[in-house]
Amino acid sequence: MTTPQVAESLLISESKISLMENGRRLIKLRDVRDLCGLYGVQDRRLVNHLMQLARESGQQGWWNAYGDTPYGAYIGLEAEAAAIRCYEPLVIPGLLQTPAYARAVIAGSIPQVAAEQVATRLRVRLRRQRRLGARGNPLRLWAVLDESSLRRVVGRREVMREQLDHLIHIGSQPHITVQVLPHDVGAHPGVSGQFALLEFADAADASLVYLERFTSDLYLEKRSDVRLYSDMYAHLQAQGLSPDGTRNFIDEANKAYVGKEFGPDARTPSRPDP
């Protein structure tokens, strides 16, 4: 393939390809993955080897210090992203989780997970959250949460109270927007599950869709796929409560975890009236 053909296929500039091929620009994991896909590389061992070489080529990410980190490819993309729009139907997004909530999610969602694995994953998750507080250039985050994520008791009710208080606090920051999608909106474009849209500051890097799965995640970069999920997200934003309405809703939902009617081991709070 010629350089112009590769550039057109990957939606990047010819100069970027030239710089990478001549060793004058560090190659990103995303570039290696894209090039392997374009060139029809089917051998997963070869792809993994090339990805490992890219990791060792002077662009080691902070997450590599934690060993074989799950979702390492996604964390690398998240670290490069300028903005993320995500939809979560069941739990609070990882970037917005408190330590206690995150620990309970990790321990409860992975069968027979060892305590040291929980601790490692927790440290990685909390390290990822630093992007939200980066000075000068914080990650812009827009999160639409299904009401189920507020009602699902993860850990104990004290954990849920802390988590919902944290949502209200962090959602008040100008670069973070949180919306709740109440149950009474009925069917909506997010019923098929979680997804996230990642956008990058470099115009040469096209946006992508991330679909988290238990064993192997999916990354969609075709323009038609990204456009479809962008349209879906626009509908979710339109159907969700406003940021102010969301804060009020979360505050009311939090009252379900407070009160004498719930014992210390209560697991299912009643649904407050929005």
Side-chain angles (χ1 to χ4, degrees):
M1 298 181 71
T2 65
T3 299
Q5 288 174 327
V6 175
E8 181 178 4
S9 297
L10 298 185
L11 301 177
I12 60 179
S13 66
E14 295 181 36
S15 61
K16 178 177 178 178
I17 297 173
S18 177
L19 290 172
M20 289 191 298
E21 291 181 341
N22 288 284
R24 290 181 292 177
R25 173 173 178 159
L26 290 174
I27 189 166
K28 302 176 182 178
L29 296 180
R30 186 162 173 251
D31 295 325
V32 174
R33 188 200 65 209
D34 291 349
L35 289 168
C36 286
L38 179 63
Y39 297 150
V41 181
Q42 301 296 325
D43 188 342
R44 292 303 309 172
R45 290 177 298 179
L46 176 57
V47 174
N48 291 337
H49 176 62
L50 294 173
M51 296 282 279
Q52 184 61 30
L53 289 177
R55 290 190 183 97
E56 297 171 353
S57 66
Q59 56 167 13
Q60 287 276 359
W62 59 262
W63 54 92
N64 290 310
Y66 294 90
D68 187 14
T69 306
Y71 315 117
Y74 172 76
I75 295 174
L77 294 169
E78 181 184 83
E80 298 174 9
I84 295 178
R85 291 175 289 162
C86 65
Y87 166 71
E88 285 287 352
L90 299 176
V91 295
I92 306 302
L95 290 175
L96 301 177
Q97 292 175 3
T98 63
Y101 184 95
R103 184 182 296 108
V105 168
I106 295 168
S109 60
I110 307 174
Q112 300 178 340
V113 63
E116 59 184 28
Q117 290 179 295
V118 173
T120 298
R121 290 185 178 224
L122 176 61
R123 287 195 295 269
V124 171
R125 186 162 303 184
L126 298 181
R127 175 65 177 80
R128 287 167 52 200
Q129 294 178 1
R130 295 185 188 179
R131 280 294 318 279
L132 296 177
R135 291 186 177 181
N137 187 33
L139 175 69
R140 301 192 306 275
L141 178 66
W142 193 305
V144 176
L145 315 180
D146 191 272
E147 182 181 340
S148 298
S149 65
L150 309 182
R151 306 297 179 189
R152 184 175 305 279
V153 184
V154 176
R156 299 170 65 86
R157 59 192 180 97
E158 292 82 0
V159 172
M160 292 303 299
R161 285 207 304 269
E162 180 188 41
Q163 176 61 70
L164 298 192
D165 284 340
H166 178 65
L167 271 184
I168 294 174
H169 169 72
I170 200 168
S172 64
Q173 300 185 46
H175 60 287
I176 298 174
T177 301
V178 178
Q179 282 186 275
V180 167
L181 199 63
H183 286 157
D184 56 18
V185 303
H188 55 76
V191 294
S192 58
Q194 173 275 348
F195 68 92
L197 289 149
L198 284 75
E199 301 170 358
F200 303 89
D202 188 345
D205 291 333
S207 300
L208 63 84
V209 178
Y210 169 68
L211 304 175
E212 182 179 349
R213 298 295 181 264
F214 191 76
T215 54
S216 57
D217 302 333
L218 298 177
Y219 300 89
L220 309 178
E221 296 183 87
K222 289 175 56 178
R223 285 185 177 182
S224 56
D225 291 336
V226 175
R227 187 182 307 113
L228 173 61
Y229 276 90
S230 293
D231 290 343
M232 290 170 57
Y233 204 83
H235 281 280
L236 294 175
Q237 290 172 309
Q239 291 177 280
L241 299 174
S242 68
D244 287 339
T246 289
R247 284 189 286 271
N248 293 334
F249 191 92
I250 294 175
D251 187 59
E252 287 296 318
N254 208 2
K255 294 177 181 178
Y257 302 110
V258 181
K260 297 180 181 179
E261 67 270 27
F262 299 107
D265 296 319
R267 307 297 297 179
T268 307
S270 61
R271 183 180 189 276
D273 182 1

PDB file of all heavy atoms in Angstrom, residues 47-69:
ATOM      1  N   VAL A  47       0.640  -9.740  16.762  1.00  0.00           N
ATOM      2  CA  VAL A  47       0.071  -8.443  17.142  1.00  0.00           C
ATOM      3  C   VAL A  47       0.462  -8.100  18.579  1.00  0.00           C
ATOM      4  O   VAL A  47       0.889  -6.979  18.875  1.00  0.00           O
ATOM      5  CB  VAL A  47      -1.464  -8.452  16.987  1.00  0.00           C
ATOM      6  CG1 VAL A  47      -2.060  -7.147  17.528  1.00  0.00           C
ATOM      7  CG2 VAL A  47      -1.860  -8.659  15.532  1.00  0.00           C
ATOM      8  N   ASN A  48       0.325  -9.080  19.472  1.00  0.00           N
ATOM      9  CA  ASN A  48       0.674  -8.837  20.874  1.00  0.00           C
ATOM     10  C   ASN A  48       2.156  -8.519  21.023  1.00  0.00           C
ATOM     11  O   ASN A  48       2.550  -7.684  21.851  1.00  0.00           O
ATOM     12  CB  ASN A  48       0.311 -10.050  21.721  1.00  0.00           C
ATOM     13  CG  ASN A  48      -1.190 -10.241  21.846  1.00  0.00           C
ATOM     14  OD1 ASN A  48      -1.956  -9.297  21.690  1.00  0.00           O
ATOM     15  ND2 ASN A  48      -1.620 -11.457  22.109  1.00  0.00           N
ATOM     16  N   HIS A  49       2.995  -9.195  20.232  1.00  0.00           N
ATOM     17  CA  HIS A  49       4.434  -8.932  20.290  1.00  0.00           C
ATOM     18  C   HIS A  49       4.741  -7.505  19.842  1.00  0.00           C
ATOM     19  O   HIS A  49       5.535  -6.796  20.471  1.00  0.00           O
ATOM     20  CB  HIS A  49       5.171  -9.940  19.398  1.00  0.00           C
ATOM     21  CG  HIS A  49       6.653  -9.700  19.321  1.00  0.00           C
ATOM     22  ND1 HIS A  49       7.486  -9.773  20.428  1.00  0.00           N
ATOM     23  CD2 HIS A  49       7.452  -9.363  18.268  1.00  0.00           C
ATOM     24  CE1 HIS A  49       8.724  -9.504  20.060  1.00  0.00           C
ATOM     25  NE2 HIS A  49       8.735  -9.243  18.750  1.00  0.00           N
ATOM     26  N   LEU A  50       4.111  -7.075  18.757  1.00  0.00           N
ATOM     27  CA  LEU A  50       4.327  -5.718  18.259  1.00  0.00           C
ATOM     28  C   LEU A  50       3.822  -4.680  19.263  1.00  0.00           C
ATOM     29  O   LEU A  50       4.435  -3.627  19.456  1.00  0.00           O
ATOM     30  CB  LEU A  50       3.630  -5.527  16.905  1.00  0.00           C
ATOM     31  CG  LEU A  50       4.198  -6.352  15.745  1.00  0.00           C
ATOM     32  CD1 LEU A  50       3.319  -6.215  14.510  1.00  0.00           C
ATOM     33  CD2 LEU A  50       5.622  -5.930  15.429  1.00  0.00           C
ATOM     34  N   MET A  51       2.686  -4.984  19.899  1.00  0.00           N
ATOM     35  CA  MET A  51       2.164  -4.075  20.921  1.00  0.00           C
ATOM     36  C   MET A  51       3.140  -3.975  22.097  1.00  0.00           C
ATOM     37  O   MET A  51       3.370  -2.893  22.643  1.00  0.00           O
ATOM     38  CB  MET A  51       0.808  -4.576  21.413  1.00  0.00           C
ATOM     39  CG  MET A  51      -0.293  -4.584  20.358  1.00  0.00           C
ATOM     40  SD  MET A  51      -0.989  -2.963  20.043  1.00  0.00           S
ATOM     41  CE  MET A  51      -2.135  -2.837  21.409  1.00  0.00           C
ATOM     42  N   GLN A  52       3.734  -5.111  22.467  1.00  0.00           N
ATOM     43  CA  GLN A  52       4.694  -5.096  23.560  1.00  0.00           C
ATOM     44  C   GLN A  52       5.934  -4.292  23.194  1.00  0.00           C
ATOM     45  O   GLN A  52       6.468  -3.537  24.016  1.00  0.00           O
ATOM     46  CB  GLN A  52       5.092  -6.533  23.918  1.00  0.00           C
ATOM     47  CG  GLN A  52       6.020  -6.640  25.118  1.00  0.00           C
ATOM     48  CD  GLN A  52       5.395  -6.094  26.395  1.00  0.00           C
ATOM     49  OE1 GLN A  52       4.184  -6.139  26.575  1.00  0.00           O
ATOM     50  NE2 GLN A  52       6.222  -5.545  27.273  1.00  0.00           N
ATOM     51  N   LEU A  53       6.403  -4.418  21.943  1.00  0.00           N
ATOM     52  CA  LEU A  53       7.540  -3.625  21.492  1.00  0.00           C
ATOM     53  C   LEU A  53       7.222  -2.132  21.572  1.00  0.00           C
ATOM     54  O   LEU A  53       8.071  -1.322  21.946  1.00  0.00           O
ATOM     55  CB  LEU A  53       7.914  -4.006  20.057  1.00  0.00           C
ATOM     56  CG  LEU A  53       8.552  -5.380  19.853  1.00  0.00           C
ATOM     57  CD1 LEU A  53       8.792  -5.626  18.371  1.00  0.00           C
ATOM     58  CD2 LEU A  53       9.864  -5.486  20.619  1.00  0.00           C
ATOM     59  N   ALA A  54       5.989  -1.781  21.207  1.00  0.00           N
ATOM     60  CA  ALA A  54       5.591  -0.376  21.274  1.00  0.00           C
ATOM     61  C   ALA A  54       5.611   0.120  22.713  1.00  0.00           C
ATOM     62  O   ALA A  54       6.007   1.253  22.996  1.00  0.00           O
ATOM     63  CB  ALA A  54       4.207  -0.194  20.661  1.00  0.00           C
ATOM     64  N   ARG A  55       5.184  -0.761  23.638  1.00  0.00           N
ATOM     65  CA  ARG A  55       5.195  -0.378  25.056  1.00  0.00           C
ATOM     66  C   ARG A  55       6.613  -0.120  25.547  1.00  0.00           C
ATOM     67  O   ARG A  55       6.852   0.725  26.401  1.00  0.00           O
ATOM     68  CB  ARG A  55       4.551  -1.485  25.897  1.00  0.00           C
ATOM     69  CG  ARG A  55       3.052  -1.645  25.717  1.00  0.00           C
ATOM     70  CD  ARG A  55       2.473  -2.595  26.762  1.00  0.00           C
ATOM     71  NE  ARG A  55       1.050  -2.818  26.549  1.00  0.00           N
ATOM     72  CZ  ARG A  55       0.551  -3.858  25.898  1.00  0.00           C
ATOM     73  NH1 ARG A  55       1.362  -4.775  25.392  1.00  0.00           N
ATOM     74  NH2 ARG A  55      -0.754  -3.981  25.737  1.00  0.00           N
ATOM     75  N   GLU A  56       7.554  -0.879  25.010  1.00  0.00           N
ATOM     76  CA  GLU A  56       8.923  -0.791  25.483  1.00  0.00           C
ATOM     77  C   GLU A  56       9.777   0.209  24.706  1.00  0.00           C
ATOM     78  O   GLU A  56      10.975   0.326  24.945  1.00  0.00           O
ATOM     79  CB  GLU A  56       9.569  -2.187  25.387  1.00  0.00           C
ATOM     80  CG  GLU A  56       8.895  -3.221  26.277  1.00  0.00           C
ATOM     81  CD  GLU A  56       9.402  -4.633  26.017  1.00  0.00           C
ATOM     82  OE1 GLU A  56      10.177  -4.816  25.046  1.00  0.00           O
ATOM     83  OE2 GLU A  56       9.014  -5.531  26.781  1.00  0.00           O
ATOM     84  N   SER A  57       9.159   0.928  23.802  1.00  0.00           N
ATOM     85  CA  SER A  57       9.941   1.790  22.907  1.00  0.00           C
ATOM     86  C   SER A  57      10.118   3.209  23.443  1.00  0.00           C
ATOM     87  O   SER A  57      10.280   4.145  22.683  1.00  0.00           O
ATOM     88  CB  SER A  57       9.278   1.844  21.534  1.00  0.00           C
ATOM     89  OG  SER A  57       8.023   2.503  21.624  1.00  0.00           O
ATOM     90  N   GLY A  58      10.041   3.355  24.748  1.00  0.00           N
ATOM     91  CA  GLY A  58      10.278   4.672  25.330  1.00  0.00           C
ATOM     92  C   GLY A  58       9.005   5.421  25.652  1.00  0.00           C
ATOM     93  O   GLY A  58       9.047   6.571  26.070  1.00  0.00           O
ATOM     94  N   GLN A  59       7.847   4.784  25.477  1.00  0.00           N
ATOM     95  CA  GLN A  59       6.592   5.460  25.795  1.00  0.00           C
ATOM     96  C   GLN A  59       5.812   4.661  26.838  1.00  0.00           C
ATOM     97  O   GLN A  59       4.611   4.488  26.763  1.00  0.00           O
ATOM     98  CB  GLN A  59       5.746   5.621  24.530  1.00  0.00           C
ATOM     99  CG  GLN A  59       5.456   4.315  23.801  1.00  0.00           C
ATOM    100  CD  GLN A  59       4.378   4.491  22.756  1.00  0.00           C
ATOM    101  OE1 GLN A  59       4.019   5.608  22.407  1.00  0.00           O
ATOM    102  NE2 GLN A  59       3.836   3.411  22.271  1.00  0.00           N
ATOM    103  N   GLN A  60       6.554   4.137  27.812  1.00  0.00           N
ATOM    104  CA  GLN A  60       5.926   3.364  28.860  1.00  0.00           C
ATOM    105  C   GLN A  60       4.857   4.198  29.573  1.00  0.00           C
ATOM    106  O   GLN A  60       5.119   5.295  30.037  1.00  0.00           O
ATOM    107  CB  GLN A  60       6.977   2.911  29.880  1.00  0.00           C
ATOM    108  CG  GLN A  60       7.884   1.809  29.367  1.00  0.00           C
ATOM    109  CD  GLN A  60       7.278   0.429  29.537  1.00  0.00           C
ATOM    110  OE1 GLN A  60       6.184   0.300  30.061  1.00  0.00           O
ATOM    111  NE2 GLN A  60       7.969  -0.590  29.087  1.00  0.00           N
ATOM    112  N   GLY A  61       3.667   3.639  29.649  1.00  0.00           N
ATOM    113  CA  GLY A  61       2.599   4.300  30.382  1.00  0.00           C
ATOM    114  C   GLY A  61       2.718   3.978  31.861  1.00  0.00           C
ATOM    115  O   GLY A  61       3.298   2.957  32.253  1.00  0.00           O
ATOM    116  N   TRP A  62       2.140   4.824  32.702  1.00  0.00           N
ATOM    117  CA  TRP A  62       2.230   4.620  34.141  1.00  0.00           C
ATOM    118  C   TRP A  62       1.629   3.285  34.561  1.00  0.00           C
ATOM    119  O   TRP A  62       2.050   2.666  35.544  1.00  0.00           O
ATOM    120  CB  TRP A  62       1.542   5.763  34.878  1.00  0.00           C
ATOM    121  CG  TRP A  62       0.087   5.923  34.542  1.00  0.00           C
ATOM    122  CD1 TRP A  62      -0.457   6.803  33.653  1.00  0.00           C
ATOM    123  CD2 TRP A  62      -1.019   5.184  35.083  1.00  0.00           C
ATOM    124  NE1 TRP A  62      -1.827   6.650  33.593  1.00  0.00           N
ATOM    125  CE2 TRP A  62      -2.196   5.661  34.469  1.00  0.00           C
ATOM    126  CE3 TRP A  62      -1.131   4.155  36.017  1.00  0.00           C
ATOM    127  CZ2 TRP A  62      -3.455   5.156  34.749  1.00  0.00           C
ATOM    128  CZ3 TRP A  62      -2.388   3.651  36.312  1.00  0.00           C
ATOM    129  CH2 TRP A  62      -3.526   4.148  35.682  1.00  0.00           C
ATOM    130  N   TRP A  63       0.613   2.809  33.803  1.00  0.00           N
ATOM    131  CA  TRP A  63      -0.094   1.588  34.177  1.00  0.00           C
ATOM    132  C   TRP A  63       0.788   0.343  34.050  1.00  0.00           C
ATOM    133  O   TRP A  63       0.508  -0.686  34.655  1.00  0.00           O
ATOM    134  CB  TRP A  63      -1.356   1.423  33.344  1.00  0.00           C
ATOM    135  CG  TRP A  63      -1.119   1.489  31.865  1.00  0.00           C
ATOM    136  CD1 TRP A  63      -0.876   0.448  31.016  1.00  0.00           C
ATOM    137  CD2 TRP A  63      -1.085   2.670  31.072  1.00  0.00           C
ATOM    138  NE1 TRP A  63      -0.697   0.910  29.741  1.00  0.00           N
ATOM    139  CE2 TRP A  63      -0.827   2.272  29.744  1.00  0.00           C
ATOM    140  CE3 TRP A  63      -1.267   4.025  31.341  1.00  0.00           C
ATOM    141  CZ2 TRP A  63      -0.730   3.185  28.690  1.00  0.00           C
ATOM    142  CZ3 TRP A  63      -1.170   4.930  30.301  1.00  0.00           C
ATOM    143  CH2 TRP A  63      -0.909   4.519  28.994  1.00  0.00           C
ATOM    144  N   ASN A  64       1.861   0.416  33.240  1.00  0.00           N
ATOM    145  CA  ASN A  64       2.731  -0.746  33.084  1.00  0.00           C
ATOM    146  C   ASN A  64       3.479  -1.079  34.370  1.00  0.00           C
ATOM    147  O   ASN A  64       3.951  -2.205  34.548  1.00  0.00           O
ATOM    148  CB  ASN A  64       3.737  -0.498  31.955  1.00  0.00           C
ATOM    149  CG  ASN A  64       3.069  -0.479  30.594  1.00  0.00           C
ATOM    150  OD1 ASN A  64       2.319  -1.382  30.266  1.00  0.00           O
ATOM    151  ND2 ASN A  64       3.327   0.553  29.813  1.00  0.00           N
ATOM    152  N   ALA A  65       3.601  -0.106  35.256  1.00  0.00           N
ATOM    153  CA  ALA A  65       4.273  -0.358  36.528  1.00  0.00           C
ATOM    154  C   ALA A  65       3.478  -1.310  37.410  1.00  0.00           C
ATOM    155  O   ALA A  65       4.014  -1.863  38.374  1.00  0.00           O
ATOM    156  CB  ALA A  65       4.512   0.961  37.271  1.00  0.00           C
ATOM    157  N   TYR A  66       2.190  -1.530  37.072  1.00  0.00           N
ATOM    158  CA  TYR A  66       1.339  -2.408  37.867  1.00  0.00           C
ATOM    159  C   TYR A  66       1.287  -3.825  37.308  1.00  0.00           C
ATOM    160  O   TYR A  66       0.456  -4.628  37.721  1.00  0.00           O
ATOM    161  CB  TYR A  66      -0.070  -1.828  37.953  1.00  0.00           C
ATOM    162  CG  TYR A  66      -0.129  -0.529  38.715  1.00  0.00           C
ATOM    163  CD1 TYR A  66       0.040   0.687  38.055  1.00  0.00           C
ATOM    164  CD2 TYR A  66      -0.344  -0.506  40.087  1.00  0.00           C
ATOM    165  CE1 TYR A  66      -0.013   1.891  38.745  1.00  0.00           C
ATOM    166  CE2 TYR A  66      -0.398   0.688  40.787  1.00  0.00           C
ATOM    167  CZ  TYR A  66      -0.228   1.881  40.109  1.00  0.00           C
ATOM    168  OH  TYR A  66      -0.276   3.065  40.797  1.00  0.00           O
ATOM    169  N   GLY A  67       2.162  -4.135  36.361  1.00  0.00           N
ATOM    170  CA  GLY A  67       2.198  -5.477  35.789  1.00  0.00           C
ATOM    171  C   GLY A  67       1.213  -5.620  34.656  1.00  0.00           C
ATOM    172  O   GLY A  67       0.900  -4.665  33.936  1.00  0.00           O
ATOM    173  N   ASP A  68       0.697  -6.826  34.486  1.00  0.00           N
ATOM    174  CA  ASP A  68      -0.241  -7.130  33.397  1.00  0.00           C
ATOM    175  C   ASP A  68      -1.609  -6.571  33.753  1.00  0.00           C
ATOM    176  O   ASP A  68      -2.486  -7.267  34.257  1.00  0.00           O
ATOM    177  CB  ASP A  68      -0.317  -8.636  33.165  1.00  0.00           C
ATOM    178  CG  ASP A  68      -1.157  -8.995  31.935  1.00  0.00           C
ATOM    179  OD1 ASP A  68      -1.434  -8.076  31.135  1.00  0.00           O
ATOM    180  OD2 ASP A  68      -1.529 -10.159  31.789  1.00  0.00           O
ATOM    181  N   THR A  69      -1.790  -5.284  33.503  1.00  0.00           N
ATOM    182  CA  THR A  69      -3.010  -4.590  33.908  1.00  0.00           C
ATOM    183  C   THR A  69      -4.160  -4.890  32.955  1.00  0.00           C
ATOM    184  O   THR A  69      -4.023  -4.737  31.735  1.00  0.00           O
ATOM    185  CB  THR A  69      -2.777  -3.069  33.915  1.00  0.00           C
ATOM    186  OG1 THR A  69      -1.649  -2.772  34.727  1.00  0.00           O
ATOM    187  CG2 THR A  69      -4.000  -2.342  34.458  1.00  0.00           C
TER     188      THR A  69
END
